[in-house]
Amino acid sequence: MNAFDQELNDRLAALRAQGLERELRRVDSPQSPHVRVNGQNLLNFSSNDYLGLANDPALKAAAIQAIERFGTGTGASRLVCGSLAVHHELEEALAAFKGLPAALTFSTGYATALGTICALLGSDDVIVLDKLVHASIVDAARLCGAKLRVFAHNDLNDLERILQWTARRSGNTISAPARKSRTLIVTESVFSMDGDQAPLRELVELKDHYGAWLMVDEAHATGLFGAHGRGLAEELGVSERLEIQMGTLGKALGAAGGYVCGSRPLVDFLVNRARSFIFSTAPVPAAAAAATAGIRLAQSAEGEQRRARLWQLLAQLLPHLTAQPGRPKSAILPLVIGDETQAVQAAACLREHHIFIPAIRYPTVARGAARLRLTLTAAHSSADLEELLAVLQALQLTPRTPRLAVSPHAPAG
Ligand SMILES: *Cc1c(COP(=O)(O)O)cnc(C)c1O
């Protein structure tokens, strides 16, 4: 083996020793409650396909039709080669769905965070993140060159302390800068690994008071919350008070891609300045058309029924997983284990019993906060839940087991 491969093997061995090695598992079926993984039939509680749309006939038909109409590839960036009608249809559908003036789509949610944050901020600015935001936002914050501050998870006092610092800081400027220094707060509405919610109303009050901008990532809330399924911002009545909403088309909406929704100037500015939009080949027509069909379905009576079904399943499961169930906060139910190796072993045990729940470890979550991340979708049946519960109980993975507890809030770290 050559020296390069030897070094990488050594690094992999170090990851393995900490219980942090990751590997791909081959799936030979569509995303659905029943999947075939490495030749084994498993009951799937790992997916963010919350409304069960990833394999829906309406979305598949829309994707196939888009291929017939526009082909498979897009040839170049939308600014270079022409911006296909399917992309415009998707952005019009998105803006209407969200009840906002405009939308822009990107090839992924990851590219959306990177392009948007780096377009808006530079080295004179400040970016303030919730401790638990997604890696795409952390990476964007580092890349954009703004001063980075992190507030304790959902801690409004800690955030206010930072905003007071930014206010003092801008007051201290001696020479007039080219433009005013800006502060952008970024959080998720529903947190991806804990399934808890951000206090969006209070965040809006704070950012208004301090003149900061607020960007909310609705990746795990779009399609699930609010009277029209627009997201948690709709449910909490703050949708029009956010500067920037982002999300993904790849979770509840059943397709692929990322989006920003907001004002027309925001979208026009991003078309000019978001590098992950400008310097990247346009998403394939099939993905855009599937996403448009996913949005239509999420808005329909059928979408409403699927949301109701999902919340009903969650309400059914929650009392078995926690002593103080309350109302489910999201479709994400983390079973926090702590130790990385133990979490991996628990996931392997579950697979032997035909249950697929992934072990989530550092760096996705803090060290020592490894967990089984259980997600439900509207496509699960009550029988699926019964099977899940029987196995969780047989393996002593319900909270009655001392070392395990569903965490309603994030662990420290
Ligand atoms: C999944 C996710 C993203 C990234 O979206 P992709 O379309 O998968 O790239 C961004 N933010 C959060 C909170 C996510 O969970």
Side-chain angles (χ1 to χ4, degrees):
M1 190 181 293
N2 68 31
F4 175 70
D5 290 340
Q6 186 58 55
E7 165 154 1
L8 297 191
N9 268 339
D10 292 346
R11 293 191 198 178
L12 283 168
L15 286 177
R16 204 169 304 133
Q18 301 171 72
L20 295 178
E21 190 186 30
R22 299 174 182 225
E23 60 186 4
L24 293 171
R25 285 196 186 80
R26 177 178 168 135
V27 178
D28 284 299
S29 62
Q31 264 312 310
S32 80
H34 298 269
V35 284
R36 195 160 173 81
V37 184
N38 286 346
Q40 200 190 2
N41 290 327
L42 299 180
L43 191 47
N44 181 15
F45 295 100
S46 69
S47 160
N48 302 316
D49 178 26
Y50 300 121
L51 294 178
L53 297 185
N55 189 37
D56 187 87
L59 276 71
K60 290 201 280 194
I64 291 163
Q65 217 177 35
I67 291 174
E68 301 290 358
R69 203 167 137 212
F70 290 106
T72 51
T74 53
S77 151
R78 284 171 64 187
L79 286 161
V80 168
C81 202
S83 181
L84 292 179
V86 273
H87 297 125
H88 291 267
E89 283 160 15
L90 169 58
E91 286 159 359
E92 283 156 21
L94 254 172
F97 171 47
K98 289 277 183 174
L100 291 168
L104 187 68
T105 55
F106 294 71
S107 47
T108 63
Y110 191 107
T112 305
L114 229 57
T116 303
I117 290 171
C118 293
L120 290 168
L121 299 185
S123 56
D124 291 333
D125 303 310
V126 179
I127 184 161
V128 190
L129 306 183
D130 184 285
K131 170 87 182 159
L132 294 188
V133 291
H134 190 258
S136 57
I137 296 165
V138 175
D139 292 356
R142 290 186 181 140
L143 187 64
C144 76
K147 273 170 202 66
L148 171 58
R149 292 289 181 274
V150 175
F151 62 99
H153 177 54
N154 277 347
D155 186 333
L156 295 163
N157 291 327
D158 199 31
L159 173 61
E160 183 155 26
R161 184 185 57 78
I162 295 168
L163 293 174
Q164 284 164 349
W165 166 79
T166 63
R168 283 199 303 277
R169 178 179 170 273
S170 61
N172 286 343
T173 327
I174 301 161
S175 59
R179 66 166 171 77
K180 195 172 179 309
S181 167
R182 287 294 173 191
T183 299
L184 175 68
I185 305 164
V186 192
T187 191
E188 285 168 39
S189 56
V190 166
F191 285 84
S192 60
M193 295 299 140
D194 291 80
D196 59 340
Q197 300 177 358
L200 292 184
R201 283 190 190 131
E202 293 78 2
L203 287 168
V204 164
E205 293 301 329
L206 262 185
K207 69 97 183 167
D208 278 349
H209 183 79
Y210 287 93
W213 294 339
L214 179 57
M215 172 167 170
V216 174
D217 184 346
E218 293 254 46
H220 297 276
T222 302
L224 302 188
F225 291 87
H228 302 87
R230 291 169 181 170
L232 192 63
E234 181 190 19
E235 181 152 317
L236 298 179
V238 296
S239 197
E240 279 159 26
R241 297 179 64 189
L242 307 175
E243 278 74 19
I244 308 136
Q245 297 188 35
M246 71 159 277
T248 175
L249 304 166
K251 290 171 181 158
L253 297 176
Y259 68 82
V260 160
C261 282
S263 66
R264 174 50 58 190
L266 169 66
V267 165
D268 290 345
F269 182 74
L270 292 177
V271 167
N272 281 273
R273 277 283 179 253
R275 294 171 64 87
S276 63
F277 176 84
I278 299 168
F279 298 105
S280 189
T281 301
V284 294
T292 305
I295 291 164
R296 299 239 156 88
L297 208 150
Q299 286 178 288
S300 69
E302 157 100 33
E304 189 54 52
Q305 278 165 19
R306 288 190 189 217
R307 269 192 291 285
R309 164 122 196 97
L310 175 60
W311 290 115
Q312 181 199 329
L313 289 171
L314 284 159
Q316 198 179 320
L317 182 61
L318 204 59
H320 298 279
L321 297 184
T322 172
Q324 291 142 343
R327 273 187 65 209
K329 296 270 188 291
S330 71
I332 304 161
L333 305 168
L335 299 167
V336 174
I337 293 193
D339 180 72
E340 283 76 16
T341 305
Q342 276 182 24
V344 172
Q345 284 166 352
C349 254
L350 285 164
R351 284 198 303 278
E352 281 169 25
H353 290 78
H354 304 282
I355 302 281
F356 186 24
I357 307 177
I360 305 288
R361 293 157 286 161
Y362 177 84
T364 310
V365 295
R367 277 188 202 275
R371 67 200 58 191
L372 298 167
R373 179 180 182 270
L374 196 172
T375 48
L376 290 193
T377 76
H380 283 108
S381 67
S382 293
D384 294 338
L385 291 202
E386 274 160 34
E387 191 176 334
L388 166 71
L389 270 175
V391 173
L392 287 178
Q393 274 153 9
L395 295 178
Q396 301 196 316
L397 285 168
T398 48
R400 313 282 172 258
T401 323
R403 67 185 169 80
L404 248 177
V406 169
S407 89
H409 295 289

